[in-house]
Structure formats: C-alpha cells, structure tokens
Amino acid sequence: MPSWLRLFLVGLVLWAVSVFVTLMTGNPNLVPTLVLLGSFLVPVTFVYWAFENWRDEHVTTELVVTAFVAGGLLGVLGASLVETYLLGNSPLLYLGVGLIEEAAKLFALLYVTRRMRRRHTRDGILLGAAV
C-alpha cells in the first residue's frame, strides 16, 4: 500500500473515531478537532503524495512546511485584520472574506518562493496546495 494512502486511511479512521466520540459524549470541545481533521485530511494527503512523487532539489521539506505555516498564519491573521477594517458588516462580507484570505495566501506563497531560482508548474501545484 502506498504511504500516501496509509496516511489518508489513518486520518480517515481518526476522523471517524472523533465523530463517534463527539456524538457519544456530546462534548462540543471536540468540534474543532472534527473540523481540523476533516479540512486538513485531503490537502495534507495530496501534498504528501505530490512531495513524494515530484521531489527535486529546489522544493525541500523545509520549504513545504514553511509554505504551510506561512499560508495558514497569513491567511487567518491577515484576512482577519483586513476583513475587520475593510468589510465591517457589509453585504459583501462573505465574498470578501474568501478573496482576502486567498490573496493573503498568495502573498505567503510569493514570500516563501522569492529565492527560488527555478520554478516549475509542479512546484507551484505542490507549494500552492501546501499554502
């Protein structure tokens, strides 16, 4: 069995166990665990698969992890600040939130890849998914 498939199946089992425990206990503190496991499972599996199959000397583990962390932090923190001051309580709130968050992730990707000498489409796919 490929290692990416093992990663996906283990994550899926952990998510299912989390659903079961949350339903059995009625503990609302477990809801963030469900959301995080559910929303990260497929992207993390794809990044793992892509990194395993498309690895080269320019896209290192450090770069992928940096892209993941920078994208997450800038996406959430940058979007939160910009949304508060730009959108307020407007009818465009929901459209604006997505656009602002994705723009923040784009800036994170540009920042992380600023020193890459050589760029390929597959590098963009891998790092874009990590962000």
Side-chain angles (χ1 to χ4, degrees):
M1 178 183 302
S3 57
W4 67 268
L5 184 56
R6 263 194 317 261
L7 173 71
F8 177 76
L9 292 176
V10 167
L12 189 61
V13 167
L14 289 172
W15 180 80
V17 168
S18 298
V19 168
F20 178 75
V21 171
T22 302
L23 291 174
M24 294 306 294
T25 63
N27 185 351
N29 293 329
L30 295 175
V31 172
T33 302
L34 293 175
V35 172
L36 285 174
L37 276 174
S39 63
F40 277 105
L41 182 57
V42 171
V44 166
T45 302
F46 172 75
V47 168
Y48 187 83
W49 173 84
F51 187 69
E52 195 175 61
N53 290 299
W54 294 341
R55 182 181 306 191
D56 66 11
E57 67 274 3
H58 298 289
V59 180
T60 63
T61 304
E62 179 184 3
L63 186 62
V64 172
V65 170
T66 302
F68 179 78
V69 171
L73 288 175
L74 283 179
V76 171
L77 297 177
S80 295
L81 284 172
V82 173
E83 290 161 11
T84 300
Y85 295 109
L86 269 183
L87 299 176
N89 197 12
S90 76
L92 297 175
L93 179 67
Y94 297 108
L95 176 64
V97 166
L99 292 174
I100 290 168
E101 186 174 332
E102 295 307 316
K105 290 178 185 180
L106 177 61
F107 287 121
L109 183 61
L110 291 172
Y111 176 76
V112 168
T113 59
R114 72 190 181 284
R115 292 192 181 117
M116 284 184 73
R117 282 183 240 126
R118 203 173 49 103
R119 293 184 176 105
H120 295 287
T121 302
R122 64 185 175 160
D123 301 339
I125 292 170
L126 174 57
L127 293 171
V131 165

